[in-house]
Amino acid sequence: MTSTEMDAFDDLRVLARKTAALTRAAENVLDAVIDVDDDEGRKRLEDLAHLLGAAAEAADATVEAGVQLALDVSNNRRRQDA
């Protein structure tokens, strides 16, 4: 794998981790700080928290996919060189 390809994978992982951290932080703020008095407001807040959780999970999956892709590319190059 070239250094350019490795840099691209590293950038992908960094951005996904940053996204996951930001969504988790937002989810924690929503859970800990915001108090909603009516049922409709509470439902909307819960919906938003679920969306943020899903975004964090997607970012984690992106990190894992990037790792797997990097391993696959590296293994394919080793086979070609052999």
Side-chain angles (χ1 to χ4, degrees), residues 2-80:
T2 67
S3 63
T4 302
E5 291 168 332
M6 285 302 296
D7 288 345
F9 286 121
D10 288 342
D11 289 346
L12 174 69
R13 287 190 291 267
V14 167
L15 290 171
R17 284 185 184 120
K18 185 176 183 179
T19 301
L22 290 170
T23 54
R24 282 195 188 93
E27 190 174 32
N28 288 336
V29 167
L30 288 172
D31 286 342
V33 175
I34 297 175
D35 186 28
V36 178
D37 294 329
D38 64 356
D39 288 339
E40 180 61 29
R42 183 67 190 160
K43 182 182 179 333
R44 290 176 60 212
L45 182 63
E46 288 175 1
D47 289 345
L48 180 56
H50 288 296
L51 288 171
L52 288 170
E57 288 175 14
D60 288 339
T62 302
V63 170
E64 291 304 315
V67 168
Q68 187 60 51
L69 187 57
L71 290 172
D72 291 347
V73 168
S74 179
N75 288 337
N76 285 340
R77 295 241 175 176
R78 280 190 207 131
R79 282 186 216 129
Q80 289 175 355

